[in-house]
């Protein structure tokens, strides 16, 4: 059983001249090829073109993960600093790395560091040393970037609260 639309299309097709039928078939072929390109080939070629960049990004992410894993294993295997020893290490690295720009106060198992104009790079390096050497973990940070000249490195004011290891 054929639908009325199919019947009308067949009748109209029969009334077309052979040249018109050939042109309609050519147009249908062009439209069909365009649809095939947009739905099947173009997305695959796009994925193929982007693959090297995505692969490089994933490789970089994998290397970073391996570095973090190695750091975690190193911290895990390092001898644990006890409370007094951790505090001495923390004070030593604070004085050595940040100097007079930082003040340390201790209350129980918490150490509060007050910063005044500390360069960002020095702060990051000190935090890494505090975590690795004293096993101090940042709990709270209230930092404000101080405005300076556009060519000067960032400086920070504020406080950091660190948890010291249990004795």
């Amino acid at each position: 059983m054929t639908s009325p639309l199919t019947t009308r299309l067949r009748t109209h097709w029969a009334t077309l001249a052979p040249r018109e039928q050939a042109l309609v078939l050519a147009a249908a072929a062009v439209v069909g090829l365009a649809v095939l390109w947009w739905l099947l080939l173009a997305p695959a070629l796009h994925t193929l073109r982007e693959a090297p960049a995505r692969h490089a990004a994933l490789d970089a992410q994998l290397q970073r993960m391996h570095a973090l894993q190695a750091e975690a294993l190193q911290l895990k295997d390092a001898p644990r600093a006890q409370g007094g020893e951790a505090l001495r290490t923390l004070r030593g690295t604070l004085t050595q790395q940040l100097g007079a720009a930082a003040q340390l106060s201790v209350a129980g198992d918490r150490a509060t560091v007050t910063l005044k104009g500390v360069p960002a790079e020095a702060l990051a390096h000190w935090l890494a040393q505090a975590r690795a050497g004293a096993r101090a973990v940042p709990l709270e940070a209230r930092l404000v970037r101080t405005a300076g000249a556009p060519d000067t490195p960032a400086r920070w004011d504020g406080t950091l609260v660190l948890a010291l290891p249990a004795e």
Side-chain angles (χ1 to χ4, degrees):
M1 189 157 227
T2 60
S3 71
L5 178 63
T6 308
T7 308
R8 268 195 285 152
L9 285 175
R10 284 188 182 163
T11 347
H12 185 67
W13 181 259
T15 61
L16 292 176
R19 182 174 179 208
E20 289 173 333
Q21 288 179 353
L23 288 174
V24 168
L25 288 175
V30 167
V31 168
L33 286 174
V35 167
L36 279 175
W37 173 261
W38 283 319
L39 294 179
L40 299 177
L41 294 175
L45 288 174
H46 178 71
T47 301
L48 190 61
R49 275 193 299 269
E50 285 187 354
R54 290 188 69 195
H55 191 261
L58 289 173
D59 279 345
Q61 185 179 9
L62 180 64
Q63 287 177 351
R64 177 74 178 134
M65 297 285 284
H66 282 301
L68 289 172
Q69 179 187 26
E71 183 181 353
L73 289 173
Q74 180 185 11
L75 285 172
K76 179 182 172 192
D77 294 340
R80 295 192 181 270
Q82 296 302 315
E85 183 183 332
L87 188 55
R88 280 190 298 280
T89 303
L90 191 62
R91 279 198 173 127
T93 58
L94 186 68
T95 305
Q96 180 185 25
Q97 294 291 320
L98 305 179
Q103 305 257 330
L104 177 69
S105 61
V106 180
D109 64 342
R110 303 263 195 265
T112 303
V113 180
T114 305
L115 307 169
K116 294 241 186 235
V118 175
E121 189 174 321
L123 178 60
H125 187 66
W126 174 76
L127 278 171
Q129 280 189 335
R131 183 178 60 162
R135 297 281 179 119
V137 180
L139 296 177
E140 184 181 330
R142 291 186 182 156
L143 299 174
V144 176
R145 184 177 180 174
T146 56
D151 297 339
T152 60
R155 294 191 170 272
W156 296 98
D157 291 341
T159 59
L160 288 171
V161 178
L162 306 169
L164 297 173
E167 296 199 31

